[in-house]
Amino acid sequence: MKKWVWLTGGLIVCAGFVIGIVFWKFQKEVKKDDPEYIVQFMKENKGNKNVSVAIQYNRQSWVEQHTKEPLPLASTVKIIVAIAYAQQAADGHINPQQQVRLRELETFYIPKTDGGAHEAWLAQLNLNGKESVPLSEVAKGMITYSSNANTDYLMHVLGLQTINEVLTQLDVKGHEPLYPIASALYIPIQLRDEKSLTKKETLAALKDMGMAEYRERALAIHENWLEKPLTKEEKAQAIKMLNLDVQRVWSDRLIRASTSDYISILEKLNSKNYFTEDVHKYLDPVMEHLMQNPRNQEWLTHAGQKGGSTAFVLTLAAYAEDKEGNQTEIAFFANDLNTMEQIKLSSSMNSFQLKFLTDEKFRMRLQRELSM
């Protein structure tokens, strides 16, 4: 009997070990950094309007796929907020060194809704007991770490009307107006409480809501939080409401634009002559965190980027100029992704960018294969 028990236990241990190895190999394969995956994905989705790609090299169009199709931007839209921040700093309307209490940022923070971005930003600040940071650090946290709380706070400081005027200045006519994206996460709770709805009924009401009302509600919630921030208990309730179906509605209703719109914005950022020198003085430290890496400084004159993601979306807008004067702009927007696609695209996007920037043979093959 003891021998049988020992043998059974041994088999369970062995089975667990094998499963562990298989799972580890699966994880490694899924998260493998492979630029060829991006190439294959673009080729396989040539006819898919949920995948939009625009790539330029030295102002020459290199890849174009559904570039006029408006798609959810996710956090890539924060580029517009960064531009508004830099313009107002250059004009003297805001003081980048003004101290912002972290408690004010907490007003717009709902835990577990930003992939740990806000907490990661706070962790690297080395606060040593300090309870405030300069406004410039809030802007950097919005871009480098993609804090949604920082974004909604900056929308409050800068003013949404002024931020949306940037879209007119940039002449991106297809770009939807910005609204507070973190505040929108609370709309399901608001709907549920207003009409005493079940979760199923709340989801149906959310889906039926027009976009104008949705934006208005997000803005009203945003303004209400300034007067009456959510308690920890209310934030916990909000998190419970955010199942995958509700997240899908939130993701689908995020601000939309096309890769054509963003290529034109990236050109302006990359040229260094569209915005004034004073604007770049405040904009570059926010947008070009890549240049803090000494290795990038060896071969790049400047480079900036902002990506975004939800459970269903992956977006990227990036620009760079190397030491030889070659300029690149990349806008990649994908919607309606499955989990596997989302993970593999996220894992491979950096190496794809690097390969495009540094490997002429890769660039030429990409242009040839995607123009066929």
Side-chain angles (χ1 to χ4, degrees):
M1 181 68 178
K2 286 183 179 179
K3 187 181 290 186
W4 181 84
V5 170
W6 181 87
L7 181 61
T8 304
L11 289 172
I12 291 171
V13 170
C14 288
F17 182 68
V18 171
I19 291 169
I21 290 175
V22 170
F23 180 74
W24 174 77
K25 285 188 173 180
F26 173 76
Q27 287 280 86
K28 189 176 180 182
E29 180 63 29
V30 167
K31 294 183 178 180
K32 185 169 69 175
D33 191 353
D34 180 12
E36 292 299 329
Y37 177 78
I38 306 287
V39 178
Q40 193 60 34
F41 181 84
M42 288 192 288
K43 288 167 71 174
E44 290 175 358
N45 285 277
K46 268 189 170 184
N48 182 0
K49 289 188 176 181
N50 274 314
V51 178
S52 174
V53 186
I55 302 176
Q56 287 190 169
Y57 186 71
N58 289 332
R59 293 294 187 267
Q60 180 184 350
S61 178
W62 218 256
V63 177
E64 287 189 336
Q65 289 183 206
H66 306 295
T67 60
K68 302 293 185 183
E69 193 69 28
L71 292 172
L73 292 165
S75 288
T76 294
V77 77
K78 294 169 185 177
I79 291 174
I80 306 300
V81 184
I83 292 171
Y85 157 81
Q87 288 180 333
Q88 291 196 31
D91 291 342
H93 294 314
I94 58 170
N95 176 9
Q97 296 309 309
Q98 174 190 336
Q99 291 296 306
V100 178
R101 289 179 300 169
L102 297 175
R103 191 169 60 185
E104 293 182 70
L105 300 176
E106 286 287 326
T107 298
F108 303 107
Y109 177 54
I110 299 180
K112 301 178 182 178
T113 60
D114 65 355
H118 190 69
E119 291 176 345
W121 171 65
L122 289 173
Q124 59 82 44
L125 285 173
N126 298 317
L127 292 166
N128 296 319
K130 288 188 290 187
E131 296 181 354
S132 62
V133 295
L135 186 62
S136 60
E137 285 297 333
V138 176
K140 289 176 185 177
M142 173 185 68
I143 296 296
T144 306
Y145 289 86
S146 209
S147 166
N148 290 339
N150 289 17
T151 307
D152 276 24
Y153 177 79
L154 283 165
M155 286 180 175
H156 159 61
V157 170
L158 303 173
L160 266 173
Q161 182 178 340
T162 306
I163 292 171
N164 282 317
E165 285 171 2
V166 171
L167 302 177
T168 304
Q169 296 167 19
L170 295 172
D171 195 29
V172 282
K173 296 181 176 66
H175 201 301
E176 291 182 348
L178 278 70
Y179 66 86
I181 55 178
S183 305
L185 291 165
Y186 200 69
I187 293 175
I189 286 283
Q190 188 187 65
L191 271 178
R192 185 201 67 180
D193 292 348
E194 277 180 1
K195 303 178 181 180
S196 300
L197 302 177
T198 64
K199 264 193 173 183
K200 189 175 180 181
E201 290 169 339
T202 301
L203 179 63
L206 199 59
K207 287 180 176 178
D208 288 342
M209 187 182 296
M211 198 61 214
E213 181 186 351
Y214 188 86
R215 288 194 192 98
E216 286 172 9
R217 281 180 176 268
L219 184 56
I221 289 167
H222 175 84
E223 291 173 348
N224 186 55
W225 284 356
L226 292 167
E227 300 295 325
K228 188 182 177 184
L230 294 182
T231 64
K232 286 185 179 180
E233 292 73 21
E234 287 171 328
K235 288 184 178 184
Q237 279 191 28
I239 295 166
K240 285 181 182 178
M241 280 293 291
L242 296 173
N243 60 34
L244 209 57
D245 289 332
V246 172
Q247 287 181 49
R248 182 60 192 251
V249 177
W250 177 77
S251 179
D252 286 344
R253 289 174 179 265
L254 289 170
I255 300 131
R256 291 175 176 244
S258 68
T259 52
S260 176
D261 291 329
Y262 270 76
I263 279 291
S264 71
I265 295 170
L266 294 170
E267 281 181 355
K268 294 173 175 68
L269 292 170
N270 212 6
S271 70
K272 300 297 183 187
N273 58 28
Y274 179 84
F275 299 106
T276 67
E277 190 175 327
D278 281 346
V279 169
H280 276 289
K281 175 183 172 183
Y282 298 102
L283 184 57
D284 293 352
V286 172
M287 281 300 304
E288 299 187 357
H289 52 277
L290 292 169
M291 296 307 296
Q292 293 178 11
N293 186 332
R295 293 176 66 182
N296 288 336
Q297 294 171 17
E298 291 175 5
W299 66 283
L300 290 170
T301 303
H302 59 255
Q305 66 174 22
K306 184 73 196 83
S309 65
T310 71
F312 318 96
V313 168
L314 184 92
T315 59
L316 173 76
Y319 64 93
E321 180 180 307
D322 65 25
K323 289 289 179 74
E324 295 178 359
N326 297 305
Q327 292 190 334
T328 299
E329 294 92 30
I330 299 174
F332 180 100
F333 300 167
N335 188 25
D336 202 23
L337 299 171
N338 61 44
T339 303
M340 187 74 74
E341 289 171 334
Q342 220 278 353
I343 294 171
K344 293 186 80 169
L345 286 170
S346 298
S347 300
S348 300
M349 191 57 75
N350 280 343
S351 62
F352 171 80
Q353 291 180 77
L354 186 60
K355 195 136 181 95
F356 186 90
L357 287 167
T358 60
D359 190 332
E360 185 179 2
K361 288 183 179 178
F362 180 80
R363 280 197 301 273
M364 298 307 294
R365 178 168 66 84
L366 185 70
Q367 185 183 51
R368 184 173 64 254
E369 292 182 3
L370 288 171
S371 62
M372 291 170 64

